[in-house]
Amino acid sequence: MEDAQIQSAASTPPAPGPSVAIRSTIYNIAFYINIVGLMILGLPTMFMGRHAVFALARAWARTSLWLLEKICGTRLEFRGVENIPRGGVIVAAKHQSVLETFALTLKFEDFSYVLKRELMWIPLFGWLLKGAEQIAIDRASGKAALQQVLARAAAFMKQNGALFIFPEGTRRPVGAPPRYKPGVVHIYRATGAPCLPVALNTGVFWPRRSFMRKPGVAVIEFLPVIEPGLEDDVFARRMRVDIEAATEALVAEAVKANPALAPQPRPGDPSA
């Protein structure tokens, strides 16, 4: 399951049985019961080192993906795993869904997210994030926050870890115009690390701000590495073009397999 049951999206029929809405409701209940149970049982990992918390995170990912497949008929496929380099790397991923936030942990031994500080305040979840030594950013602190993140990112890269960052800063609707922020460019320059762009179509099956979980094969694709040393504007353009082109192709692949998955415009949504 960790390697994601690789199958062609075009050959995957919708899951039979209850309606999508009913299966989605059942899954969401199971998902939150699962995560709360794991967090409670896993509290001791806070005192056992960051790798113990990583093991808990991977257990959450595996069980969540198993439930997603069994209840909703939604499978996850990883592509381009051979592009993952050894050593420290910036993992710059498109962000459409909650799904990739936990699924990415299955492919990296040592990792850290760059995340907003407010997540650290969530009971249980935030405590475990602290135990895992994740990099939190106070967005209100401006340049001071950026300098702190850059220092911690540079130190982390020396440990040969994977630094996860969502260049757009938040989940974006499928098909929405991209809004890349400069943070990843600063990290790329400060750390001298290669960047692994990641494209995906997870938002087609697990849309943001929706309880619906649609059947099919979601794909997370690791693209060819962008080596260090490029000028800021060259790096930013290449990363954006690579991620957006591959993401567009993955979304088109899913919609071709099942036209009912075509993203619907949201009237009044300024980001749609």
Side-chain angles (χ1 to χ4, degrees):
M1 179 173 50
E2 177 177 340
D3 291 327
Q5 301 99 359
I6 298 178
Q7 296 187 22
S8 170
S11 65
T12 302
S19 71
V20 172
I22 293 174
R23 285 186 276 111
S24 298
T25 300
I26 295 171
Y27 174 75
N28 284 316
I29 293 171
F31 176 81
Y32 287 108
I33 290 175
N34 179 52
I35 186 174
V36 171
L38 284 172
M39 286 191 297
I40 292 173
L41 293 174
L43 277 178
T45 62
M46 292 173 53
F47 311 102
M48 299 165 61
R50 60 198 314 256
H51 287 278
V53 183
F54 293 163
L56 182 67
R58 294 187 186 99
W60 172 38
R62 293 188 187 99
T63 52
S64 295
L65 290 173
W66 184 84
L67 289 167
L68 188 63
E69 179 181 350
K70 298 304 179 183
I71 297 173
C72 299
T74 311
R75 291 187 290 276
L76 177 64
E77 174 184 330
F78 286 104
R79 296 180 186 172
V81 176
E82 67 278 3
N83 289 323
I84 299 176
R86 295 183 178 181
V89 62
I90 302 164
V91 181
K94 186 71 176 176
H95 197 15
Q96 296 178 344
S97 171
V98 172
L99 197 159
E100 58 265 15
T101 61
F102 59 79
L104 285 171
T105 67
L106 294 174
K107 294 301 178 183
F108 299 88
E109 289 298 320
D110 193 359
F111 60 85
S112 180
Y113 273 98
V114 177
L115 46 83
K116 58 185 180 181
R117 184 183 61 171
E118 289 77 7
L119 291 175
M120 297 287 195
W121 301 342
I122 301 174
L124 297 179
F125 187 72
W127 304 342
L128 290 166
L129 288 176
K130 291 179 182 178
E133 302 175 15
Q134 302 298 281
I135 299 176
I137 182 171
D138 179 5
R139 295 178 177 177
S141 297
K143 291 184 178 180
L146 176 61
Q147 292 304 315
Q148 182 182 26
V149 168
L150 293 179
R152 291 195 59 187
F156 180 70
M157 287 299 176
K158 293 179 181 178
Q159 303 174 25
N160 294 323
L163 185 70
F164 295 158
I165 184 168
F166 298 118
E168 294 175 280
T170 189
R171 288 172 296 165
R172 300 282 290 148
V174 175
R179 292 180 180 173
Y180 285 75
K181 301 181 184 300
V184 65
V185 178
H186 293 302
I187 292 174
Y188 173 79
R189 185 194 328 121
T191 61
C195 176
L196 179 67
V198 181
L200 44 78
N201 63 5
T202 54
V204 172
F205 304 93
W206 184 322
R208 71 166 199 158
R209 300 178 184 173
S210 171
F211 80 98
M212 299 295 284
R213 308 290 177 257
K214 301 175 184 180
V217 178
V219 178
I220 294 177
E221 182 175 4
F222 301 104
L223 306 176
V225 165
I226 301 175
E227 296 298 335
L230 298 180
E231 294 294 328
D232 289 359
D233 59 339
V234 175
F235 163 71
R237 182 170 58 253
R238 179 175 167 187
M239 178 191 64
R240 183 180 66 251
V241 169
D242 287 358
I243 292 175
E244 292 303 314
T247 293
E248 184 177 345
L250 291 175
V251 171
E253 177 185 324
V255 172
K256 182 179 180 180
N258 181 1
L261 295 173
Q264 300 299 315
R266 296 187 177 192
D269 187 344
S271 62

